[in-house]
Amino acid sequence: VLVGSFDGNLYAVDTHTGEEQWRFETGGEILSSPTVTNGVVFFGSYDTNVYAIDAESGNEQWSFETDGEVFASPTVSEGIVLIGSRDNRVYAIDAESGEEQWRFETGGQVRSSPTVVDGNALFGSYDSRLYSVAVESGEEQWQFGTGNVIRSSPVVHDGTIFFGSADETVYAVSLEAGEEQWTVDAEGIVASSATAIDETVFIGDDTGRLYALDTT
């Protein structure tokens, strides 16, 4: 089990015994959920860095410095680590070398974790917009505006993107063109990320409500 802590450490704990295998110290709180690919752990820290750690030994493979705290969780696709920062950018980092491939500037901090579908990364920003950006080039495909910040990480189901906004709304947007399909008013801020199964999408708000919505 790999988990970060407000004490600045990433812990590796044996799933059967609960014994600590190793810990890796950073210079700040860790809110980023680690992603593991090919034996390497990727995560961000409040110390502004993105880290790649060997999952077995806990040794650092590389670190990449951004210009802001990294709260978002990384997504790894085709050897590229995609992650947002409070410096208003999303970074594409080579998973093996730690070298920057491109950066994409938004108008606000990015705490939404990218979802990759059909070669495009989908993520929200504190500038109240959902973006679709090509993973290979970092080129914007489209953007969709809401009425407030987006912390929710998008989920895609049957060609539709589902996510929430701090404008107390759940959105369904087409994957191809970023066009609104429908919206549902919530009772509070929707910062959680959705899950879709069969024909139902589930998402919660900050009033303690969980919504089950028909996807169509």
Side-chain angles (χ1 to χ4, degrees), residues 125-130 144-151 163-171 180 183 185 189-190:
S125 169
Y126 268 48
D127 66 5
S128 307
R129 295 184 174 276
L130 182 79
F144 176 86
T146 72
N148 210 323
V149 303
I150 302 174
R151 281 176 284 178
F163 67 98
S165 170
D167 64 5
E168 303 184 353
T169 305
V170 180
Y171 290 88
E180 183 180 304
T183 63
D185 294 334
I189 292 172
V190 185

Side-chain angles (χ1 to χ4, degrees), residues 102 104 119-123 131-135 137-142:
W102 50 259
F104 182 84
N120 293 322
L122 309 165
F123 56 88
Y131 292 91
S132 176
V133 175
V135 173
S137 64
E139 182 180 350
E140 181 181 314
Q141 305 301 296
W142 52 256

Side-chain angles (χ1 to χ4, degrees), residues 10-82:
L10 182 76
Y11 293 90
V13 180
D14 187 278
T15 55
H16 299 290
T17 66
E19 293 181 359
E20 180 180 318
Q21 304 300 294
W22 51 258
R23 69 176 66 183
F24 180 84
E25 185 176 4
T26 74
E29 301 168 354
I30 301 174
L31 284 77
S32 176
S33 298
T35 296
V36 183
T37 302
N38 296 328
V40 181
V41 187
F42 303 97
F43 67 98
S45 169
Y46 199 84
D47 67 5
T48 76
N49 288 302
V50 180
Y51 292 94
I53 308 298
D54 183 272
E56 185 174 353
S57 66
N59 294 327
E60 181 179 319
Q61 304 295 297
W62 52 256
S63 63
F64 177 88
E65 187 175 7
T66 75
D67 292 326
E69 297 88 350
V70 182
F71 289 164
S73 300
T75 299
V76 183
S77 177
E78 302 296 330
I80 300 295
V81 181
L82 299 160

